[in-house]
Amino acid sequence: MSASNTFVVGQCTRVRDNVFMKARAQSVDGVMRDLTHTAQAEFPPEGEIELRGARAFLKQDDWAIAKPVLDGPPRRQRWVSPTARKLLPFEDLSGMTGSEAARRLLVETGLQDNFVGEKIYRIGADEMIMVKMVKSDDGRTRATAADMARLPVYAFDPAKILAIPTPGGSISLMEKNHQSPETRLANWMSDAQYVEQIVRSALAGDDDEQKARAAIGATLLAHAGRLENLLSGAGEPDPEVLQEISRSRRLGEIVTSRPALVADFMQVLQRDPSIRARIDEEIARLTSGAVEAKRVALTAELTASMEAEFAAVRRERGAKLEAELRDLETSSLQELQAKLDAQQDTALSALEMKRSSLEKAVEELQMSRDALHEENRAKAGEIDAINADITRLSLEAVDRKEDVDRLLRMEQVLREAGDRASAPTAGPLMPLASPSPSARPLAVGEISDWLKESHLLSDAGRRGVARVAALVLSGGVPVVDGPEADDVLDVLASMLAGGVVTALDCDPTVISYEDLWRRPGSGEPTAIGQALSDVRKTSTVRLCAIRRADLAPAQFWIDTLRRAGKQKSFPNGFLLCVTRGGEDESETAGSPLSFRAEGWLERNAGAAAVASLADESSLRVVDASGVAADQSTALALIGSARVSITNAKWLAGFAPTAKAILKGDAGAFLKEVLDSVSADAKPKHLKLIDNGGPSRA
């Protein structure tokens, strides 16, 4: 069963922080089945599904479609759908005689099914509309929309109808956001609104001739005539205009054939209490408008008169105050001037004395400042000399500590090697794990299909694992680091070696190429040494990994290992790769033979791996016998590039393997590998001991 082809349809039962839906039907690979009596067993405990983020557009009793998944801790899991879409009831009215018949049924006559809410109706062979059914005063439900004069008409697609089986029969539903194209706009106003629109349009004209034809029947017929004139020059008839012509002419003929109908209608309106109340209300509104205009005019007149009087009083009182102020100014000015002169003389004398004292204080402060500056310069020279001595001594201390630590580590390694050499021979070696008996063969050309079906890897992970597999199968010895390196080994083991990985964990004793196969001192074979012997004897396929290469003090053996793989020093079934635990991305940047495994696994990879424990069909053992060296491809790839003889021979076998696994992505990867092997690069793992001076050993 494909999860992408499975969904559940139900009705909303509870609305809290999220919406809860009662499961009513389930579709699996296009087959819809009723869940009315089995919902509690399918979605325990109550047969409900929580719809997150749907409170804004779903309410109780609404139909919805969702794709539920289990969420929560193991013993408290519940069915939850992160997304949901609203479904609307669907009814087929295409059997009626045209869309006008459907309009009269839904807008004029009304339905007696008591359904209230949004609904989708099919009104023609290829057309449908979405309206809201509301209940009228006569008990019937009628269609309405935001703008009935411009009601959107959508293309009808029978494939979008969902037939929901129920004990009472099948229910037809369709998504509210059905994504169907809008074909046209229809005028579905009621007859009364339609007549009112045409009459108002006629009365809005500027010419007297059109105003003279404002009678209802004549206006309807004139409107139909104008539409016919539009059609006569339009070429192909417009079905929407033809429908309006028929509607206008029918209503106009009814009104014209009964001339007393309009007069009787106006008399009935005048006798109606609500109409008379409306007329009285309009008279009162006009009267209140006139009164308000008069009040505004009187208020403006009185305001202007009062402002003129206030201005005259203000000018008079201002003149009196100015005269009094001039008299006071003349009498007091001389006295104030005398007092100011006396106070100014006293203040100037006091300021002169203060200025003299301040000048003396400033001279003393300047002398003190100069002395302090001189003393500060002397102290600064002494501090710089002391800081230089401290820096020099610190560097010397660091150098001495590094030398001591290096000697202690070397002494410890030599002591441990000597102890192992003098120790008695250890017991029997640990046996190697064997591939699962149920693992089936996997051709190289089928690796890409296996990766596509894997639920453990992301898209970036599938591309990365495919490149790693191409290098492993051709003897390229790739280096994988990053937080997901060990998980990548497990995926490679499931795909190439029946789920088994033979690993050698590096430590500081792994220094040379020989230490990979036999342990220093004791000479016992390592795990990958045993695996190499087993592959040579039994031709079994084994995936071997040298883990945590960053713990080795020097990594010259990686280049030696790659050269041995390229020269076919190992049997075909001996698959080898190296992992590092470094967190620095610069260790793998720029090298197509090194990969950083980060973001390669899906977030639910752990759960998917646990779920597949009982299913061993995914365990495979690679069969590389069908891939042979391709000289023409290698020559076309190398061209005039400067490549060593060993790398050229290796590229002849690597190119067909990469093409079989990577398919269309092989060209770019082959170009990166060619650029890498043709570059004259220096050793990347050389670690020099440099203490900044001559050796003191």
Side-chain angles (χ1 to χ4, degrees):
M1 182 179 66
S2 176
S4 61
N5 295 330
T6 301
F7 57 86
V8 177
V9 176
Q11 274 187 293
C12 301
T13 56
R14 294 181 293 155
V15 179
R16 296 178 181 172
D17 293 338
N18 291 318
V19 181
F20 292 84
M21 178 185 78
K22 183 74 173 182
R24 296 289 298 274
Q26 185 179 25
S27 175
V28 179
D29 294 333
V31 179
M32 188 76 69
R33 59 190 182 93
D34 185 15
L35 298 182
T36 303
H37 303 296
T38 62
Q40 294 183 352
E42 297 283 347
F43 303 98
E46 299 180 0
E48 287 186 334
I49 300 168
E50 182 180 351
L51 308 180
R52 292 180 176 172
R55 186 177 181 183
F57 58 90
L58 288 178
K59 61 181 182 297
Q60 190 166 347
D61 296 332
D62 282 350
W63 288 88
I65 181 173
K67 291 186 177 183
V69 295
L70 282 173
D71 185 39
R75 295 188 178 182
R76 299 177 59 187
Q77 287 185 331
R78 56 182 179 178
W79 290 95
V80 173
S81 178
T83 59
R85 298 188 296 275
K86 185 176 181 179
L87 298 177
L88 298 181
F90 173 81
E91 186 173 345
D92 192 347
L93 300 180
S94 61
M96 304 185 70
T97 58
S99 60
E100 173 61 18
R103 185 200 69 81
R104 295 200 61 80
L105 175 63
L106 297 178
V107 177
E108 304 295 342
T109 306
L111 302 177
Q112 292 183 336
D113 56 1
N114 294 324
F115 174 80
V116 177
E118 292 179 303
K119 194 170 184 179
I120 298 176
Y121 289 95
R122 181 184 181 185
I123 61 173
D126 299 320
E127 294 182 335
M128 64 180 183
I129 60 170
M130 183 174 65
V131 295
K132 183 178 181 180
M133 303 300 294
V134 297
K135 198 165 188 177
S136 303
D137 295 337
D138 58 357
R140 293 176 176 268
T141 56
R142 290 178 172 83
T144 183
D147 187 1
M148 293 292 285
R150 297 174 59 84
L151 182 66
V153 179
Y154 303 96
F156 173 70
D157 185 0
K160 296 182 179 181
I161 302 299
L162 296 178
I164 309 303
T166 63
S170 177
I171 298 176
S172 297
L173 300 174
M174 179 183 284
E175 288 190 26
K176 181 176 181 180
N177 298 325
H178 42 73
Q179 304 298 325
S180 296
E182 182 179 317
T183 60
R184 62 185 179 92
L185 295 174
N187 187 350
W188 272 44
M189 292 193 303
S190 65
D191 289 345
Q193 293 173 334
Y194 185 73
V195 171
E196 180 183 0
Q197 181 187 35
I198 298 174
V199 172
R200 288 184 182 276
S201 175
L203 292 176
D206 295 332
D207 57 309
D208 296 335
E209 181 182 356
Q210 191 174 5
K211 290 184 177 180
R213 294 184 300 171
I216 297 177
T219 302
L220 289 169
L221 295 175
H223 180 69
R226 286 195 301 273
L227 293 177
E228 289 177 351
N229 292 333
L230 292 176
L231 273 183
S232 62
E236 187 70 22
D238 187 349
E240 190 68 20
V241 177
L242 289 174
Q243 182 177 339
E244 287 205 20
I245 292 172
S246 175
R247 186 176 178 186
S248 299
R249 188 171 294 281
R250 177 174 52 81
L251 294 176
E253 290 174 354
I254 292 174
V255 176
T256 305
S257 64
R258 301 176 64 183
L261 179 62
V262 178
D264 295 340
F265 178 68
M266 295 303 298
Q267 291 179 4
V268 171
L269 289 179
Q270 291 177 358
R271 289 197 302 268
D272 188 88
S274 60
I275 301 299
R276 182 164 296 280
R278 179 62 184 272
I279 295 173
D280 295 339
E281 180 182 349
E282 188 68 16
I283 293 172
R285 184 182 65 81
L286 296 174
T287 304
S288 62
V291 171
E292 180 65 21
K294 186 64 174 176
R295 184 186 66 79
V296 171
L298 291 175
T299 301
E301 183 179 354
L302 291 175
T303 302
S305 176
M306 292 179 67
E307 287 180 352
E309 293 180 2
F310 286 152
V313 173
R314 189 181 298 111
R315 286 194 298 271
E316 182 182 356
R317 291 185 178 181
K320 290 182 180 180
L321 288 173
E322 287 179 359
E324 293 177 358
L325 287 174
R326 282 195 298 270
D327 293 341
L328 288 173
E329 181 180 0
T330 303
S331 61
S332 303
L333 185 58
Q334 295 178 355
E335 295 179 0
L336 290 174
Q337 186 64 40
K339 290 181 180 179
L340 287 174
D341 292 341
Q343 291 179 357
Q344 183 178 1
D345 293 340
T346 305
L348 288 174
S349 301
L351 288 174
E352 185 65 24
M353 295 178 63
K354 289 182 178 179
R355 184 180 65 81
S356 300
S357 62
L358 287 174
E359 287 178 353
K360 292 181 180 179
V362 168
E363 291 178 358
E364 294 176 357
L365 289 174
Q366 288 178 347
M367 295 175 62
S368 300
R369 183 196 61 188
D370 295 339
L372 289 174
H373 283 174
E374 187 64 27
E375 184 179 355
N376 186 32
R377 283 195 294 271
K379 295 294 184 183
E382 295 178 1
I383 291 172
D384 292 340
I386 293 173
N387 288 336
D389 293 339
I390 292 173
T391 303
R392 179 176 54 79
L393 293 174
S394 299
L395 294 175
E396 290 181 359
V398 171
D399 292 341
R400 301 290 79 73
K401 184 177 182 304
E402 290 179 353
D403 292 342
V404 172
D405 292 342
R406 190 179 300 108
L407 292 173
L408 290 176
R409 287 196 299 270
M410 294 178 63
E411 182 181 1
Q412 180 67 21
V413 170
L414 294 174
R415 184 183 298 111
E416 292 177 355
D419 293 342
R420 286 194 295 268
S422 60
T425 303
L429 299 175
M430 293 294 292
L432 295 174
S434 299
S436 174
S438 62
R440 294 179 295 152
L442 177 67
V444 175
E446 298 175 358
I447 289 179
S448 60
D449 297 332
W450 189 93
L451 291 173
K452 289 179 182 178
E453 296 175 357
S454 175
H455 298 292
L456 305 179
L457 299 171
S458 63
D459 291 339
R462 293 185 179 94
R463 291 192 297 270
V465 171
R467 293 189 172 194
V468 172
L471 290 170
V472 168
L473 292 174
S474 60
V477 189
V479 177
V480 183
D481 66 0
E484 299 174 353
D486 289 340
D487 294 324
V488 171
L489 288 179
D490 292 336
V491 174
L492 287 172
S494 300
M495 181 175 67
L496 304 177
V500 175
V501 180
T502 303
L504 170 64
D505 292 334
C506 289
D507 54 38
T509 63
V510 178
I511 299 175
S512 64
Y513 176 73
E514 289 75 13
D515 295 337
L516 301 176
W517 316 105
R518 293 192 175 275
R519 299 189 181 278
S522 64
E524 296 178 356
T526 61
I528 63 172
Q530 297 180 60
L532 178 59
S533 299
D534 181 68
V535 172
R536 285 174 173 170
K537 293 177 182 178
T538 63
S539 299
T540 304
V541 176
R542 290 193 176 275
L543 176 63
C544 298
I546 303 174
R547 298 179 66 252
R548 296 306 303 272
D550 53 299
L551 297 180
Q555 300 174 23
F556 302 109
W557 46 265
I558 294 181
D559 292 333
T560 306
L561 199 63
R562 283 176 175 163
R563 183 172 180 82
K566 293 177 180 179
Q567 292 178 340
K568 301 297 182 181
S569 299
F570 306 127
N572 290 334
F574 188 72
L575 310 180
L576 192 60
C577 67
V578 180
T579 68
R580 289 192 296 234
E583 297 296 334
D584 188 3
E585 296 186 8
S586 62
E587 294 184 3
T588 60
S591 175
L593 303 182
S594 300
F595 303 86
R596 180 166 183 82
E598 185 171 3
W600 286 17
L601 296 181
E602 292 285 357
R603 295 181 59 184
N604 59 347
V610 173
S612 63
L613 287 177
D615 182 14
E616 296 184 356
S617 61
S618 62
L619 296 180
R620 310 296 286 272
V621 176
V622 70
D623 181 10
S625 59
V627 180
D630 189 348
Q631 298 177 358
S632 60
T633 302
L635 289 174
L637 174 65
I638 295 173
S640 60
R642 185 173 182 178
V643 182
S644 65
I645 297 175
T646 300
N647 287 328
K649 293 180 178 179
W650 173 71
L651 285 172
F654 171 68
T657 303
K659 286 186 175 181
I661 296 176
L662 301 177
K663 308 297 183 184
D665 297 334
F669 187 49
L670 289 173
K671 182 65 171 59
E672 294 177 10
V673 173
L674 176 63
D675 293 342
S676 175
V677 299
S678 62
D680 187 14
K682 297 181 179 179
K684 298 180 180 179
H685 305 291
L686 181 61
K687 297 182 180 179
L688 300 178
I689 300 175
D690 185 6
N691 57 10
S695 174
R696 297 179 178 82

